[in-house]
Amino acid sequence: MKEKLKENVSTLHLEDEVIRKLKEKEIKTVEDLWNLNRKELKQLGFSDIEVNKIVICLELYGFDLGKRIWKA
């Protein structure tokens, strides 16, 4: 499970615009994204809709923005 943290954020299958914004903010791996919380993503300029999509994609991978790992 933890090996997924090292994967590129593009493996989350988010919209191209969201991936582009993540990379602009130097968020390149799933782990970089997982270390953030909703408030930090909002401060980085992501909309509520984008944050919700990020949360859903992470949850599908078994991760939560609260740095929890769900067993698959």
Side-chain angles (χ1 to χ4, degrees):
M1 181 68 97
K2 293 213 178 205
E3 62 275 358
K4 290 184 181 180
L5 288 173
K6 301 297 180 199
E7 292 180 9
N8 191 295
V9 290
S10 61
T11 61
L12 294 175
H13 304 291
L14 291 162
E15 296 172 354
D16 291 338
E17 179 66 18
V18 175
I19 295 292
R20 183 189 60 74
K21 286 171 81 172
L22 287 168
K23 289 183 177 181
E24 282 178 3
K25 305 295 184 186
E26 299 296 321
I27 301 167
K28 297 179 179 169
T29 65
V30 174
E31 185 172 21
D32 294 339
L33 184 57
W34 180 61
N35 285 322
L36 300 173
N37 60 38
R38 285 179 179 267
K39 184 177 180 180
E40 291 168 326
L41 285 170
K42 294 286 290 176
Q43 290 172 345
L44 289 172
F46 291 93
S47 70
D48 287 331
I49 292 170
E50 291 170 330
V51 171
N52 287 335
K53 288 180 181 182
I54 289 169
V55 167
I56 290 168
C57 286
L58 281 174
E59 286 176 351
L60 289 172
Y61 253 59
F63 301 110
D64 188 346
L65 283 180
K67 296 184 185 162
R68 289 184 298 231
I69 298 175
W70 304 101
K71 292 187 179 185

